[in-house]
Amino acid sequence: MDKIKFTILGETGSGKTCYLLGMYYEMSAGRDGYSIVAPNRDESRRLVANFKNLTDASLGRKRFPEMTDALQKYNFELQHAFNTILPFEWIDYPGKWLDVSESASSGLTEVENSIYNSTALFICIDGENLTGNDTAEKIERVRDKCSRHISPYLAQLSGKNRGRKFPPIALIITKYDLCNRETDEEEILEVLQGSFSPLFERDDTFIVIVPVSLGSDLQDDDSRGKFSPINLHLPIYMGIWFALKNYIADLKRQIEVDKRTISNYNEMIRDEQDRFFLFKSNDKILSWRNRISENESEIRRLQNEISAMKQSYDRLERELYSINLTFINGRRRK
Ligand SMILES: Nc1nc2c(ncn2[C@@H]2O[C@H](COP(=O)(O)OP(=O)(O)OP(=O)(O)O)[C@@H](O)[C@H]2O)c(=O)[nH]1
Ligand SMILES: [Mg+2]
């Protein structure tokens, strides 16, 4: 199976790194029986140091991470009841690389490659763009600051992959605490449909819209507000749900291959048995029977793995029903 990769896109300062830290903080302690671990000690230490800062209100502005200036990869595992469901890679890169006019071409290539190989895309839209009470202006801001930079990459993805489905996409409204009093679900939808219209026109794409925040009063009193995360777990649940779906489909394909192998051996055994007894090879028949039983036990192993995965898959699917703004192949889920 290909490595599971999640890429997070968004202009500089839109909250990508904070989202990662907040999500890891929330999920490393566990939620709904799920947890996320970083098996690499150095990565884990780096993440813990950074999220400790994020939760330390006494640091004021210094609680936030520095602007990211190089691509960073993190390896995580999603666990349920401390059993690993799936490992995945998270790619965090500098938002300034998205800007075609400013980025070095090596940066652009890195971004392109990580989008191209991603199991799911997370696109951050800074909640600050949704402040005020003029919807048209909000659409203009999101267009200018976000979709204008991201759409060319999506267009390219579509071109390179003609005939292949788009990866599932979570449109994440970051810093929702800044705009929640000045917007609502329906307006968010209008703004995003207005600023990312080609995306919503596609009939092969799964899209969720999730407002997230690190804390409802985070910005108060010179950034000394309490860290109290909202919805940080949902985008990652969506990504893992799709990864599981692909994984289960892979396992089913392997079962089909094993079944075909068994039927080939059975045919060979029948042909051999039909031979005149002087030419019949009992050794061959015996070795083919052994192969058949190896394939049968492999099928049983794969079927057990599918049932274990299916439980996680169904459980995650239930969690995803809490996302109201979900679009499946161009239609809003009722
Ligand atoms: N009010 C509020 N501010 C936030 C929240 N999350 C992030 N911020 C602010 O947004 C700033 C930028 O966040 P980063 O995560 O560093 O942004 P980034 O997208 O990683 O930026 P680059 O690394 O330059 O690409 C932080 O320094 C915080 O001031 C949030 O949930 N609420
Ligand atoms: Mg960053």
Side-chain angles (χ1 to χ4, degrees):
M1 191 185 61
D2 292 339
K3 199 165 186 180
I4 294 156
K5 288 187 185 156
F6 297 140
T7 300
I8 186 157
L9 307 172
E11 58 163 328
T12 179
S14 57
K16 299 179 293 295
T17 307
C18 286
Y19 172 74
L20 166 67
L21 295 175
M23 185 276 292
Y24 183 62
Y25 175 81
E26 165 108 316
M27 293 303 298
S28 56
R31 193 193 158 103
D32 314 312
Y34 292 98
S35 48
I36 284 180
V37 295
N40 178 302
R41 277 226 189 112
D42 290 337
E43 278 177 17
S44 160
R45 215 173 281 139
R46 191 154 38 114
L47 285 160
V48 172
N50 285 336
F51 78 53
K52 264 192 181 156
N53 284 347
L54 198 60
T55 55
D56 184 351
S58 70
L59 294 175
R61 282 285 321 153
K62 292 210 179 77
R63 68 198 295 188
F64 298 113
E66 306 258 305
M67 202 187 208
T68 310
D69 56 14
L71 182 133
Q72 310 234 342
K73 291 184 183 172
Y74 297 89
N75 287 292
F76 294 113
E77 286 177 4
L78 180 76
Q79 301 187 332
H80 185 265
F82 300 123
N83 293 315
T84 298
I85 300 174
L86 282 181
F88 65 94
E89 185 176 77
W90 182 278
I91 299 159
D92 186 30
Y93 65 88
K96 59 182 182 213
W97 284 8
L98 261 190
D99 191 334
V100 182
S101 62
E102 290 199 7
S103 179
S105 66
S106 58
L108 288 176
T109 312
E110 290 252 32
V111 177
E112 271 170 31
N113 286 342
S114 61
I115 295 176
Y116 187 70
N117 295 317
S118 275
T119 316
L121 289 181
F122 301 135
I123 298 178
C124 289
I125 296 114
D126 193 328
E128 201 158 356
N129 295 319
L130 301 178
T131 51
N133 48 24
D134 184 339
T135 308
E137 198 181 301
K138 295 179 188 185
I139 295 176
E140 233 7 85
R141 269 189 237 146
V142 175
R143 229 187 231 156
D144 189 46
K145 296 210 171 138
C146 191
S147 55
R148 192 166 59 84
H149 298 294
I150 289 172
S151 294
Y153 289 97
L154 298 178
Q156 213 180 41
L157 184 71
S158 171
K160 272 192 194 166
N161 270 312
R162 239 174 270 279
R164 209 171 104 177
K165 278 182 101 177
F166 248 43
I169 295 176
L171 296 171
I172 305 178
I173 314 286
T174 51
K175 316 183 194 174
Y176 190 54
D177 52 295
L178 298 183
C179 64
N180 64 346
R181 288 176 211 90
E182 290 162 346
T183 191
D184 57 28
E185 210 164 77
E186 292 311 310
E187 194 202 42
I188 288 177
L189 181 57
E190 194 182 336
V191 171
L192 293 188
Q193 284 184 319
S195 49
F196 281 96
S197 59
L199 190 58
F200 284 90
E201 289 296 318
R202 287 189 73 94
D203 59 6
D204 64 347
T205 314
F206 183 95
I207 305 171
V208 292
I209 300 173
V210 187
V212 304
S213 164
L214 300 180
S216 54
D217 56 358
L218 200 73
Q219 211 79 333
D220 296 357
D221 190 20
D222 199 19
S223 300
R224 286 173 204 271
K226 194 168 164 288
F227 177 83
S228 56
I230 299 164
N231 284 349
L232 299 183
H233 58 297
L234 287 174
I236 201 75
Y237 282 5
M238 181 212 77
I240 296 289
W241 184 78
F242 270 95
L244 278 175
K245 190 174 152 115
N246 296 342
Y247 189 54
I248 290 172
D250 264 6
L251 296 178
K252 286 186 175 163
R253 272 193 290 275
Q254 282 179 46
I255 289 181
E256 286 313 307
V257 170
D258 284 334
K259 282 186 177 165
R260 273 200 298 281
T261 311
I262 290 175
S263 98
N264 286 343
Y265 279 126
N266 274 327
E267 208 165 299
M268 284 154 72
I269 290 172
R270 268 196 304 278
D271 287 351
E272 196 63 29
Q273 280 169 335
D274 284 348
R275 279 169 165 245
F276 184 57
F277 74 96
L278 281 178
F279 301 115
K280 194 174 347 192
S281 164
N282 285 326
D283 284 354
K284 272 189 188 166
I285 294 178
L286 194 65
S287 101
W288 291 336
R289 289 219 166 100
N290 285 339
R291 299 271 170 79
I292 289 177
S293 73
E294 278 165 23
N295 275 283
E296 283 170 343
S297 64
E298 177 64 4
I299 289 177
R300 279 193 296 279
R301 190 189 68 73
L302 292 168
Q303 281 167 338
N304 288 340
E305 200 176 341
I306 288 178
S307 359
M309 292 283 169
K310 189 80 178 53
Q311 278 184 9
S312 307
Y313 176 81
D314 291 343
R315 226 181 269 126
L316 279 173
E317 189 171 79
R318 284 196 288 279
E319 301 292 338
L320 292 182
Y321 269 96
S322 65
I323 305 178
N324 281 334
L325 297 177
T326 299
F327 289 79
I328 304 167
N329 301 337
R331 284 167 182 267
R332 185 171 176 182
R333 193 199 65 205
K334 298 266 177 347

